[in-house]
Amino acid sequence: MWQYYDYDELGSTNDKAIELTTKATGEKIAVTAEMQTGGRGRRGRRWVGAKGNLFLSLALPFELKNCGALVLISGLALLELIKEVAPQSDVVLKWPNDVLLDDGKISGILLEKGEAGYMIVGIGINVKIAPITDAVYKVNSLANAGLLFDRQEIKDMYLRHFDELLDYWQQQGMPALVKRWLQYAKGIGSPIEVKMPNTTKDGIFAGLNEDGLLILQTEQGQEVISAGDIFFKEEGIKR
Ligand code: BTN
């Protein structure tokens, strides 16, 4: 069961979720806002708050050392939601947790640390609108692909898939979760560029290890990468 809070407007649902963890005592908390004015993205980017889209933050007691599981679960939950409502859709996962529908990014996920042993999973889903951004990737929305739902319906379905995957990971373990994620991974075996905070590396996307970290095959051998943005080299500038 999730303790659910919905607001008309927030700066960032992640900030509100972090604030709520200061008084939390083990319950799972979900926060949404109809409008988000200061949404945060990864690497200091911003996340556009277009009305009709879903801005959701989940706060749950979670050990930092298991965060690799949350990274995979958070993206896979949305992919499996889309596969459930539109089994034929062209939807894939781009490591670490982007979901691409018809090759356009339809969501963004930001994991942050809460208080008192909580982790925060912040997810923005382009339900109605694919905001025009200055980012280098293509964007899409569920509505644009003919999937007409409102943000509350998507939130309920997302929580159901998220819970199911959390149970799956708790019962089956990380290798089984990684295997389930890999079924939908974009570009295994393809040349990629991995952008990290201070460096960029080229190689072949060789898969994920049992902790969900990226394995990059380079001329020097295999490297394990824990965080970065990947770009597929055979595509154009808009990736
Ligand atoms: C990304 O850069 O791809 C991650 C974007 C994460 C955006 C979501 S929207 C809900 C939650 N609140 C925030 O401020 N950020 C996340």
Side-chain angles (χ1 to χ4, degrees):
M1 270 305 269
W2 291 86
Q3 203 172 84
Y4 176 53
Y5 299 85
D6 183 37
Y7 296 85
D8 291 341
E9 184 176 312
L10 283 176
S12 157
T13 55
N14 266 27
D15 284 346
K16 178 54 80 178
I18 292 169
E19 183 191 315
L20 289 168
T21 62
T22 58
K23 296 184 211 100
T25 51
E27 65 276 29
K28 294 194 294 183
I29 300 167
V31 179
T32 56
E34 193 176 1
M35 190 60 199
Q36 182 176 248
T37 53
R40 287 199 300 278
R42 295 169 61 216
R43 300 190 189 292
R45 292 185 287 245
R46 55 189 279 274
W47 187 258
V48 176
K51 201 162 179 185
N53 287 348
L54 177 66
F55 312 107
L56 169 67
S57 294
L58 307 180
L60 64 166
F62 213 85
E63 286 188 67
L64 205 53
K65 69 174 167 65
N66 291 328
C67 270
L70 268 194
V71 171
L72 299 190
I73 288 170
S74 53
L76 188 53
L78 178 57
L79 180 136
E80 292 189 353
L81 178 169
I82 295 170
K83 282 285 180 195
E84 182 182 72
V85 297
Q88 305 308 323
S89 59
D90 174 12
V91 58
V92 292
L93 295 168
K94 177 170 169 278
W95 187 86
N97 52 15
D98 279 344
V99 180
L100 308 182
L101 180 59
D102 298 329
D103 223 30
K105 175 164 158 143
I106 48 152
S107 63
I109 297 174
L110 178 67
L111 261 66
E112 295 186 302
K113 206 167 160 288
E115 300 293 332
Y118 271 76
M119 282 302 300
I120 311 296
V121 178
I123 175 160
I125 301 177
N126 296 341
V127 177
K128 303 272 187 224
I129 292 158
I132 296 166
T133 66
D134 54 3
V136 288
Y137 44 75
K138 287 191 279 189
V139 288
N140 202 358
S141 69
L142 295 176
N144 194 39
L147 305 177
L148 303 174
F149 295 93
D150 68 34
R151 67 183 187 97
Q152 293 290 356
E153 290 170 309
I154 295 292
K155 181 264 295 172
D156 289 340
M157 288 190 276
Y158 184 82
L159 290 181
R160 179 164 51 77
H161 283 274
F162 187 93
D163 277 336
E164 195 268 312
L165 281 163
L166 207 53
D167 279 354
Y168 181 80
W169 166 69
Q170 276 158 353
Q171 280 158 33
Q172 309 286 326
M174 195 63 187
L177 178 66
V178 169
K179 200 165 160 209
R180 189 157 160 179
W181 192 97
L182 282 171
Q183 291 177 80
Y184 305 106
K186 176 180 161 93
I188 294 196
S190 304
I192 55 170
E193 185 178 83
V194 188
K195 283 201 163 87
M196 289 164 275
N198 300 314
T199 178
T200 297
K201 286 193 174 161
D202 288 331
I204 302 291
F205 179 18
L208 302 188
N209 73 6
E210 290 204 339
D211 296 321
L213 304 182
L214 182 134
I215 304 171
L216 186 70
Q217 181 72 50
T218 68
E219 284 172 7
Q220 288 76 42
Q222 288 199 337
E223 277 191 45
V224 173
I225 294 179
S226 59
D229 286 326
I230 66 176
F231 295 92
F232 293 94
K233 297 188 105 178
E234 70 275 16
E235 295 172 2
I237 294 168
K238 282 258 173 197
R239 290 167 285 200

